[in-house]
Amino acid sequence: MTAIATEPAPMPHLLGIDDLDTAQVVRILDTAEQLLPIATRERNTVPTLRGKVVCNLFLEDSTRTRISFDLAAKRLSAEVLNFSAKGSSVSKGESFKDTALTLDAMGVDCVVVRSGSSGAPLQLARYLDVPILNAGDGWHQHPTQALLDVFTMRRHLGDLAGRHVVIVGDLLHSRVARSEVQALTLLGAKVSVVAPPTLLPPQVEGWGVELVADLDEVLPDVDVVYLLRVQRERMHRAFFPSSREYSRLWGMDARRLALLGEQAIVMHPGPMNRGVEISGEVADSDRAVITEQVTNGIAVRMACLYLLLAARGGSDAEEAR
Ligand code: NCD
């Protein structure tokens, strides 16, 4: 095969991991690897996106994702407009379409959108003629979280082909889990899931994952334990008897940590419920790479912005350095 044939296709938007193929995921991860020194401030900002306007449209609460996108764009020297539902015309009842048309009229070059409604980024991509980056939509997708997670795994474990990841907890309400399984599958990892039966999505059988009944049984075999937050804001009835019961059956604590192989790492997308899905001891242990995930998130989001905005002609990340 020629080099041209293996070149990943340019991405018009980043709406979900299901839009990507393996070559595109690897390209994002490799680009992030090159940008990491800038993300971690070993080097200063680069002028790659000077003159570009990135709009962060956050219609649902977020701390780390919003700050991470903000920093990522600034490290690439873009101008950043932060737009949240509170304090904007959205809270006055302006329709999503009118918000989109207003952004278009202002001449933004890219919109990063977080919304409680699944499909909002896709809708925006239909209204606007600029790259749209999904920063989490409803229960649907959270592609940059999955990408920063596989980036972090790859830094610890090398190639993920044949590696075993167990995802634990509230899969039903989790956009992270959907994106995570797709990204891991594209990279050839084996994925198991453990969850209270009430928090398993009905279609989980079709996800290509192994359903495991007992967390203790799978722990000695895995390279990564990925804990999901118990998403109380999305639970309008009781899905499990109590937080104590949840942590006894599905929480990661010091006893369970001792069951892991010595290479295994513990991950969580944040924000954590300490004492529920993860004990304080585990969260603070050297097996947990949760703060690294946050740092890596800046590099991965820089890579996504770079590939959507600067590398549309297929040039490589060397230009950004
Ligand atoms: C995740 C989200 O918002 O989906 N968090 C995040 O982006 N940092 C996961 C979560 O809220 O549990």
Side-chain angles (χ1 to χ4, degrees):
M1 245 199 274
T2 66
I4 291 166
T6 55
E7 180 72 15
M11 308 185 297
H13 304 285
L14 180 56
L15 303 178
I17 300 291
D18 39 5
D19 287 343
L20 304 177
D21 59 23
T22 304
Q24 288 169 318
V25 170
V26 169
R27 186 173 196 208
I28 294 168
L29 303 184
D30 290 346
T31 306
E33 198 66 58
Q34 295 185 46
L35 294 170
L36 194 60
I38 303 161
T40 53
R41 305 200 80 161
E42 278 167 39
R43 291 190 45 195
N44 288 327
T45 55
V46 283
T48 317
L49 296 187
R50 182 158 295 149
K52 301 278 187 196
V53 180
V54 174
C55 175
N56 287 331
L57 177 61
F58 276 69
L59 305 174
E60 191 195 67
D61 290 346
S62 164
T63 311
R64 71 201 72 211
T65 306
R66 186 172 49 77
I67 294 173
S68 180
F69 268 112
D70 193 24
L71 266 176
K74 285 176 177 155
R75 294 273 154 84
L76 293 171
S77 304
E79 249 179 86
V80 184
L81 292 179
N82 280 310
F83 187 109
S84 60
K86 282 183 205 109
S88 75
S89 294
V90 176
S91 64
K92 296 182 191 161
E94 184 177 70
S95 77
F96 192 55
K97 182 170 182 181
D98 287 326
T99 304
L101 295 178
T102 305
L103 296 178
D104 195 31
M106 286 180 182
V108 301
D109 295 296
C110 171
V111 181
V112 176
V113 59
R114 158 148 314 187
S115 168
S117 312
S118 301
L122 176 64
Q123 226 182 329
L124 209 55
R126 292 194 176 128
Y127 297 141
L128 297 182
D129 200 20
V130 297
I132 307 296
L133 228 153
N134 182 1
D137 64 328
W139 300 8
H140 177 226
Q141 281 273 341
H142 194 351
T144 58
Q145 179 68 48
L147 291 166
L148 74 89
D149 291 333
V150 292
F151 179 80
T152 305
M153 291 179 205
R154 206 177 72 152
R155 295 201 100 229
H156 279 269
L157 303 165
D159 187 356
L160 296 184
R163 293 291 191 171
H164 188 181
V165 179
V166 64
I167 302 180
V168 189
D170 183 1
L171 279 103
L172 179 65
H173 301 105
S174 178
R175 54 193 172 208
V176 175
R178 282 168 182 72
S179 299
E180 199 82 14
V181 169
Q182 290 168 0
L184 286 165
T185 306
L186 283 174
L187 296 175
K190 170 181 172 188
V191 186
S192 299
V193 300
V194 188
T198 49
L199 290 175
L200 276 174
Q203 329 78 340
V204 75
E205 313 280 348
W207 288 18
V209 298
E210 184 190 52
L211 276 175
V212 177
D214 181 359
L215 180 55
D216 287 7
E217 256 169 44
V218 77
L219 289 177
D221 187 54
V222 301
D223 298 294
V224 180
V225 184
Y226 194 94
L227 303 164
L228 295 169
R229 183 172 65 86
V230 172
Q231 301 184 47
R232 292 185 191 285
E233 76 280 14
R234 300 198 165 135
M235 295 182 190
H236 305 298
R237 63 184 172 90
F239 283 85
F240 47 88
S242 67
S243 297
R244 227 173 116 193
E245 187 68 359
Y246 184 95
S247 58
R248 191 175 69 78
L249 291 168
W250 300 285
M252 196 68 194
D253 57 13
R255 181 188 68 77
R256 291 201 162 113
L257 200 64
L259 299 177
L260 293 175
E262 56 186 36
Q263 81 296 350
I265 53 174
V266 177
M267 301 179 72
H268 191 298
M272 292 183 270
N273 295 304
R274 284 180 183 244
V276 186
E277 68 267 3
I278 186 166
S279 72
E281 220 175 338
V282 173
D284 299 330
S285 77
D286 56 8
R287 290 308 188 84
V289 298
I290 298 160
T291 52
E292 260 176 67
Q293 287 171 261
V294 177
T295 307
N296 291 339
I298 304 168
V300 168
R301 290 176 174 123
M302 286 171 75
C304 294
L305 287 169
Y306 166 73
L307 291 170
L308 287 172
L309 277 163
R312 303 194 85 181
S315 54
D316 77 41
E318 280 306 315
E319 261 178 40
R321 307 192 77 202

